[in-house]
Amino acid sequence: MGNIKVGLLGFGTVGSGVYEIIENYQERLESLLGKKVDLAGILVNDITKERGIAPEILVTTDFDEILAIPDLDVVIEAIVGIEPGYTYLSKAIDKGCHIITANKELFAHKGRELKQQAQAKNVEISYEASVAGGVPVIGTLHQLLQVNSVVKIEAILNGTSNYILSEIRNERTAFLDALQSAQTKGYAEADPSNDVDGYDAFYKIVILTELLFGQRPEWKWIERKGIRDISLNHIQLAESFGFRLKHVASLVYKDGALKIDVEPKVVSEDHPLYSVEGVDNAVVITGDLVGQLKLQGPGAGKLPTASAIIEDLVNVFNSVHHSPVVKEVKLLHDVDEQEQTWFVIGNSTDQFEGITLFEESIMDHHDRVTGRLIQATGREIKKLKAKDNDLTVYPFSGTPAQPVKKAFATA
Ligand SMILES: NC(=O)c1ccc[n+]([C@@H]2O[C@H](COP(=O)([O-])OP(=O)(O)OC[C@H]3O[C@@H](n4cnc5c(N)ncnc54)[C@H](OP(=O)(O)O)[C@@H]3O)[C@@H](O)[C@H]2O)c1
């Protein structure tokens, strides 16, 4: 009985973690798999870097050399961007290898194609590490889907943004200072736009949507907002109500229609995402039978992410197979008529004339910045904003202290 032969693409944070686990936990892997795991080749970009890789392992910049490894069983991809990863994984599938990826950008763009290719070639494709790093959200959803219909997900999927929001609140600091702190601690890239503009969380919720419904949502109908415009004032004002601002990716499935958003939300203390702080990720899943459950943990980092990849490896070779789900869904993009609760921040009270107010908190007596919870449709909120450019409106999730009244009388 031969070993399981692995080709690893990338030796950065994630790739080096995979190497470490395979090197240091061989006995545990062998007891789980009944075979040794043989890391046979590693693809890198810069061959001159000193990496401390065991001399018997092939290290190359040429993917064809990885593919030419005799009896290669699986290719683990941990490089960045859509290409060349997509081409490499397509070739690996074509050769009959199972594939495992941590690359959310690649999988959000090309997951559907890779799944189809893998199905045609009868090989497995696993991507646990691509969403929420070490938090086992993909496996949990596969498990739940056997008997549940998942009707809602609310999640903090980007640790960098969550860290920055926690830092602004705890240190009473500005967005740029909090970003700099994240960069100093290695939580944010020099170019942070992928994280703070919401692209990273967007890719992850796209991957979850495809898993749940078997189809790719129209990207242009998914609202994506980042956290750059969130000020300390807004955070303090929300705090004065007992609320927090969180960057939330959400998916709601109702009556065959799906609504997906990635945006800052104000949440109340009893909301499961309220207490998720720092670089942690958390995913709150509502299934029609199980009800609500919450997964929380490290959404990134060397060993947590590599751990998710190795779990995939074990599942692939222990024949844990997940059948694809295909559901009829319509992605809602015109949601202006749906009534919901909003946290509205403004400088004056004029624009609220004629609105039944629930509660008001005046934070700064000079500036008279006020915050209000109101119940309104998206269309009404648009009208309100058209009256006052300085108005900031966040969707609200959770339980307010008192019932929120309708903001506008129906005509
Ligand atoms: N970091 C995390 O905590 C985390 C968590 C979840 C998912 N992910 C995902 O995992 C993937 C890897 O992330 P990372 O943080 O490990 O990145 P990283 O530290 O920047 O490492 C990237 C690795 O890929 C190699 N590489 C880049 N382009 C290449 C190319 N064209 N050909 C061959 N090798 C190439 C680099 O080679 P050199 O070493 O020679 O430069 C490097 O070893 C990304 O897709 C990321 O989104 C990361």
Side-chain angles (χ1 to χ4, degrees):
M1 199 166 44
N3 297 340
I4 292 172
K5 277 204 181 174
V6 178
L8 174 63
L9 315 186
F11 200 80
T13 306
V14 177
S16 62
V18 170
Y19 172 85
E20 250 178 67
I21 297 180
I22 294 178
E23 287 289 297
N24 300 334
Y25 295 88
Q26 195 55 244
E27 231 172 80
R28 195 184 294 182
L29 289 173
E30 196 174 345
S31 76
L32 284 165
L33 293 161
K35 293 178 184 185
K36 275 196 174 354
V37 176
D38 174 9
L39 182 49
I42 301 174
L43 184 80
V44 293
N45 207 21
D46 178 357
I47 199 80
T48 64
K49 276 189 202 167
E50 183 46 56
R51 304 176 197 261
I53 297 171
E56 66 275 15
I57 299 175
L58 164 75
V59 180
T60 177
T61 55
D62 180 357
F63 178 68
D64 288 338
E65 283 193 33
I66 300 283
L67 217 52
I69 293 169
D71 304 318
L72 185 67
D73 293 296
V74 57
V75 170
I76 296 174
E77 189 259 346
I79 58 179
V80 284
I82 303 166
E83 286 293 358
Y86 176 55
T87 303
Y88 293 166
L89 292 184
S90 298
K91 284 185 178 178
I93 292 172
D94 221 38
K95 208 194 160 202
C97 297
H98 303 297
I99 62 168
I100 298 170
T101 181
N103 185 338
K104 66 227 65 163
E105 186 178 3
L106 161 59
F107 209 68
H109 283 88
K110 296 290 183 188
R112 186 173 50 180
E113 288 80 353
L114 288 172
K115 283 178 192 167
Q116 282 165 358
Q117 291 166 32
Q119 210 174 3
K121 280 283 181 178
N122 205 18
V123 296
E124 295 294 332
I125 177 163
S126 301
Y127 50 99
E128 181 66 73
S130 70
V131 181
V135 182
V137 56
I138 306 284
T140 303
L141 287 174
H142 277 306
Q143 177 79 18
L144 285 175
L145 282 173
Q146 295 182 43
V147 286
N148 275 263
S149 180
V150 172
V151 291
K152 188 173 178 183
I153 289 182
E154 278 189 302
I156 290 174
L157 295 175
N158 185 267
T160 308
S161 294
N162 201 50
Y163 171 84
I164 290 172
L165 293 179
S166 301
E167 185 78 356
I168 296 175
R169 201 188 68 250
N170 292 331
E171 299 301 319
R172 298 293 192 234
T173 190
F175 169 79
L176 284 176
D177 294 328
L179 170 60
Q180 200 173 32
S181 159
Q183 283 166 330
T184 307
K185 290 189 168 156
Y187 300 148
E189 305 279 329
D191 175 2
S193 53
N194 223 16
D195 295 321
V196 300
D197 294 327
Y199 291 101
D200 178 78
F202 173 91
Y203 294 144
K204 292 167 177 172
I205 199 78
V206 164
I207 293 172
L208 296 184
T209 307
E210 277 198 55
L211 184 163
L212 291 174
F213 300 101
Q215 42 189 297
R216 181 174 299 166
E218 280 278 357
W219 286 21
K220 63 179 184 216
W221 290 337
I222 302 176
E223 178 104 53
R224 178 194 48 78
K225 285 189 196 144
I227 59 164
R228 279 187 204 267
D229 297 335
I230 296 179
S231 67
L232 174 60
N233 261 7
H234 293 182
I235 287 180
Q236 284 182 291
L237 196 58
E239 208 177 16
S240 71
F241 279 74
F243 303 150
R244 281 185 184 162
L245 259 160
K246 293 285 172 195
H247 191 246
V248 182
S250 60
L251 168 165
V252 179
Y253 176 64
K254 199 176 171 203
D255 302 330
L258 191 58
K259 185 173 179 306
I260 309 168
D261 304 285
V262 177
E263 60 189 346
K265 271 188 181 176
V266 169
V267 299
S268 58
E269 201 176 344
D270 65 341
H271 191 284
L273 296 181
Y274 177 91
S275 58
V276 181
E277 290 285 88
V279 287
D280 258 7
N281 280 198
V283 186
V284 180
I285 304 166
T286 308
D288 58 350
L289 301 175
V290 70
Q292 191 182 77
L293 58 94
K294 174 178 164 183
L295 303 170
Q296 180 172 347
K302 183 176 173 171
L303 289 181
T305 311
S307 150
I309 289 175
I310 299 296
E311 274 172 41
D312 275 348
L313 182 75
V314 170
N315 284 338
V316 164
F317 288 96
N318 280 341
S319 302
V320 177
H321 179 77
H322 304 293
S323 308
V325 176
V326 181
K327 265 195 180 148
E328 272 302 308
V329 284
K330 188 170 117 255
L331 189 67
L332 284 183
H333 55 105
D334 186 12
V335 289
D336 284 355
E337 303 307 332
Q338 294 201 347
E339 199 163 90
Q340 66 175 88
T341 304
W342 309 84
F343 188 72
V344 180
I345 299 174
N347 293 323
S348 74
T349 49
D350 300 351
Q351 70 274 61
F352 292 104
E353 253 172 53
I355 297 175
T356 314
L357 297 177
F358 153 59
E359 194 181 333
E360 152 173 25
S361 162
I362 298 172
M363 192 194 74
D364 181 332
H365 287 276
H366 302 292
D367 207 12
R368 287 191 64 84
V369 177
T370 60
R372 293 171 172 80
L373 272 185
I374 65 173
Q375 186 84 10
T377 65
R379 185 179 301 279
E380 288 162 342
I381 290 295
K382 272 187 188 160
K383 271 194 212 160
L384 203 57
K385 284 173 96 173
K387 274 198 200 173
D388 181 353
N389 271 342
D390 293 332
L391 210 61
T392 307
V393 183
Y394 296 105
F396 173 83
S397 198
T399 319
Q402 303 168 28
V404 183
K405 292 184 184 142
K406 259 181 80 68
F408 297 83
T410 35

